Amino acid sequence: MRVAVVGAGIVGVSTAEWLRRDGHEVSLIDRTRPGEPGQASFGNAGVLAASSVVPVSVPGLVWKLPGYLLSRDAPLHLHWGSLARSMPWLLHFLWNGRRTKVEQVAKALAPLIGDTVEQHLALARGTNAASFVRSANYTAIYRNRAAFRKDAFVFGLRRSLGGEWDEWDCATLNAHEPELSGAYAFAASFRDHGFISSPAGYVAALAEHFEREGGRFLTGEAVDIVPCESGGAAVTLAGGAREHADRVVLAAGVWSAGLARRLGYKTAMVAERGYHVMLSGASYMPRGPIMVADAKTSVTPMADGLRFAGTVEVAPVNAPPSRAPVQALRRTVRRVFPRLSWQSETTWMGQRPSTVDSLPLIGPLPDAPAVLFAFGSQHVGMTMGPRMGRLIADLVAMRRPNIDLHPYRVDRFNRG
Ligand SMILES: Cc1cc2nc3c(=O)[nH]c(=O)nc-3n(C[C@H](O)[C@H](O)[C@H](O)COP(=O)(O)OP(=O)(O)OC[C@H]3O[C@@H](n4cnc5c(N)ncnc54)[C@H](O)[C@@H]3O)c2cc1C
């Protein structure tokens, strides 16, 4: 079949490559080159977070909000200029943090992320991207055991879905990460996790492999996707050119919402913005990725420096970056590694495609099955991208996927 994939972040590139391996004639369409800073896939923390089944909205978050708003180091920042517009989504998001809903969401996320390292190894095998996939522990650090116990609900849910971790006291943590501040005296360390040592380099290498093996990359902005009565669908590009295909996959991250709306589908998705501070020439690199629990910040030893990434800020798509989250990340650097030095710093803002129920939209449109959605991967898109791509390839090939796709159905927000 001829298949067009719109969007070349981790989800689109993975999808295009799995489709190509199935023997389809695949066009990958993006307005930028894969691995460019405009993508969420460029600057994320790169953690292959197999155990991160619990969404951001959890029981009790609503009571923490006032404290977050008063603290300049809180992991959550409000974009005051767009607060009124964001409010309905935020309220619904908080409502989805009730216990029963969170348990449902975690159960639905688990099959998309649990085998992430294997999924990345399978995707990258035999390509230049393979060297970016690293196995490592993922270690959540806390001030003390009492602070860890406050996350009992999250860890209990992880355990119920197969998550396993080692608990480290102060001495063990210090033996693993000697440069860490003594203020962090307890850790929960997950084995069998991993990270991508350069998310941008990885996505670019996968795309290069895709093109070298016969896939076609098309630079252009998709302005419309139109299902054809005779079957198939067409992607209209800015400037008027049309790309006809038997199947069209919409994998344009947070920007998918606008194109989905034109097709008559609500996505309940916002740009949940995050930031990174990248320190090149850092004097110390941890052994593997670390989650600083009180700052909700990931620290990852990347190929080209030490990356601190995190924060949540709901804002309109493409609004200019804010300064406060970067300043908070800089303070986290100092708090976590007080003796760290580095040569240079760069900063970045990216937009997570986050639905109100923290689940992606995956699958064909009920009224136009030639068009498939593959977006909404929120905080774990690097983790689940290859899996999403494989599921789409299965659906296009009419192979029955080995997981229940019902929780990700694409028309769930149209039903009210
Ligand atoms: C600070 C931060 C840290 C993160 N850390 C992690 C982590 O450690 N682990 C993890 O698993 N996930 C993490 N994430 C989440 C992850 O980065 C995203 O979920 C993931 O990158 C989304 O991938 P995507 O392919 O859907 O979207 P993107 O990477 O945003 O790609 C979308 C692409 O679509 C293109 N596009 C959009 N509209 C059009 C159009 N009309 N026509 C043509 N092209 C178009 C864009 O140019 C872009 O290239 C993090 C995110 C942030 C912001």
Side-chain angles (χ1 to χ4, degrees), residues 6-12 29-34 38-49 138 220-223 237 251-256 259 272-276 298 300 309-311 348-353 374-384:
V6 178
I10 185 60
V11 176
I29 303 169
D30 203 306
R31 54 188 177 211
T32 66
R33 283 295 306 177
Q39 312 185 308
S41 303
F42 169 90
N44 58 65
V47 183
L48 302 183
Y138 183 33
E221 163 125 23
V223 291
L237 300 177
V254 73
W255 298 275
S256 305
L259 289 164
E272 204 189 332
R273 308 196 310 178
Y275 292 77
H276 86 210
S298 291
T300 313
T311 63
W348 171 85
M349 183 273 285
Q351 311 191 75
R352 304 179 185 95
F375 53 82
S377 54
Q378 42 110 354
H379 288 240
V380 280
M382 205 64 201
T383 303
M384 71 163 80

Side-chain angles (χ1 to χ4, degrees), residues 151-166:
D151 276 350
F153 170 74
V154 170
F155 276 80
L157 200 43
R158 286 172 170 171
R159 175 160 281 150
S160 73
L161 291 164
E164 286 178 6
W165 62 89
D166 297 319

